[in-house]
Amino acid sequence: MDDPAFNVETDLQTQSILLAAANHDIQSLRNLLRNSSANVQDSETGFTPLHAAIAACEPDHESKKDHSNGTTNGNTDEVTKQREQDIEAAVKTMKLLFENGAIWNDLDTNHETPGCIAYRLGLMELYELCVDAGVRAELLLSRLDEYQPLGDAASDEEEDDEDDTEDVQDNIEILDLNEDATQGDESTENPTYLASTLTFNRDRILDGSANGVMMQWETTLMRRSAELLLPAPGLRVLNVGHGMGIIDGIFQDKQAKSHHIIEAHPDVLKRMKEQGWYEKPGVVTHEGRWQDIVPGLVEKGKMFDAIYFDTFAEEYKALREFFTEFVIGLLDPAGGPTSEGGKFGFFCGMGADRQVAYDVYNKIVEIDLFEAGFDTEWETIPVPDLDEQDEWEGVRRKYWALKNYKLPTCSFIG
């Protein structure tokens, strides 16, 4: 609509909602949301009501100065009490916004989500609210994605259900938080990757679009995974995704009894032949996509003491399909050095360009693993400053931007 009066009215409504959210004015906000959306954004800052509610809790300079200079106990207690009240009010405001469909991962003009602001300000209670909202939204979205209407012909009722589903999806943002990263980028799709020409350097593999496929800095993480998955020699291991051969080399050092490798990219397979992987002790190389190979291994009754999964250019639902449909048939429940059961691990790098996305994904994968019958243990491993070490020079985009890596090791429940 081109009517200036309408635009002014709309902007006033937006500013009123943002102000009520920033002031944690529950009553006014509730009234305003009856005729408006919880997802309005300020045209200059990009703030949504969630951004405003969290940013309003940033300590002012006077409070910081009082604490650093050591105020009297009375003043300190007063500041602390006010701070607690502000946080409590912000919690109530955020819950109201989420109840009204607020999107957890909208970006402001600084490319921060509400959770990013909460994390930066050290407001962990508010941060956890954002993470939990993200988990709920993404789990719901994944369930809707699996929804299949019953019957051959769509009835009026089914059409109404589909409309309702679309309405729900409209209020849920997908987890991709990089505006210019993977969404709509054909170079990150699996068929495009498999058809691309790879560049092998000493410390990295890049695809034809200069996306980082694997890099040497991951060695510390993979070595620790290998130690947990193969704690003794003479075990059977399956690795899905050879890449630079980092973890496969470590598995070889651990003297695996049998060592199966699944690799799909022709350039990697060519390099494996040149490096003699096909002749290494116990190694069986399967050429092709795991989706085409793994069902045959299950059918043949192949069992392993350890399984590791690290593919490139695949969405999370591929990993989920792997451990829900196939790991349960490949991992020996009486395997391992003490016959207590085999272990499953994977490279946990989903959403690792942003802390809130990483934490949401890790909670989702733990829930999905539990539903599939696995218990997950996490180990936190510090990651060096990759920017400082110029690790991303020549790489199209960073796929890791966090200080800590959460390493998962999964075993059968019970």
Side-chain angles (χ1 to χ4, degrees), residues 225-243:
S225 276
E227 291 172 353
L228 295 170
L229 295 174
L230 287 185
L235 299 177
R236 303 157 295 171
V237 62
L238 166 66
N239 178 41
V240 182
H242 179 75

Side-chain angles (χ1 to χ4, degrees), residues 104 127 131 135 175 177 217 221 346-365 378-381 383 399-408:
W104 69 278
Y127 176 76
V131 171
V135 171
L175 198 51
L177 294 172
W217 68 264
L221 314 178
F346 55 93
F347 184 78
C348 188
M350 300 165 292
D353 58 338
R354 195 179 301 263
Q355 188 67 53
V356 65
Y358 191 62
D359 289 341
V360 167
Y361 253 133
N362 287 347
K363 286 196 174 187
I364 289 173
V365 73
W378 301 92
E379 182 173 324
T380 300
I381 300 178
V383 176
Y399 62 83
W400 191 274
L402 309 180
K403 294 181 180 179
N404 293 305
Y405 174 83
K406 291 192 67 176
L407 187 150

Side-chain angles (χ1 to χ4, degrees), residues 215-227 246 250 379 381-384 405 407:
M215 300 177 70
Q216 193 68 36
W217 68 264
E218 302 171 26
T219 300
T220 300
L221 314 178
M222 294 187 177
R223 179 175 290 112
R224 182 54 181 157
S225 276
E227 291 172 353
I246 295 174
I250 300 170
E379 182 173 324
I381 300 178
V383 176
Y405 174 83
L407 187 150

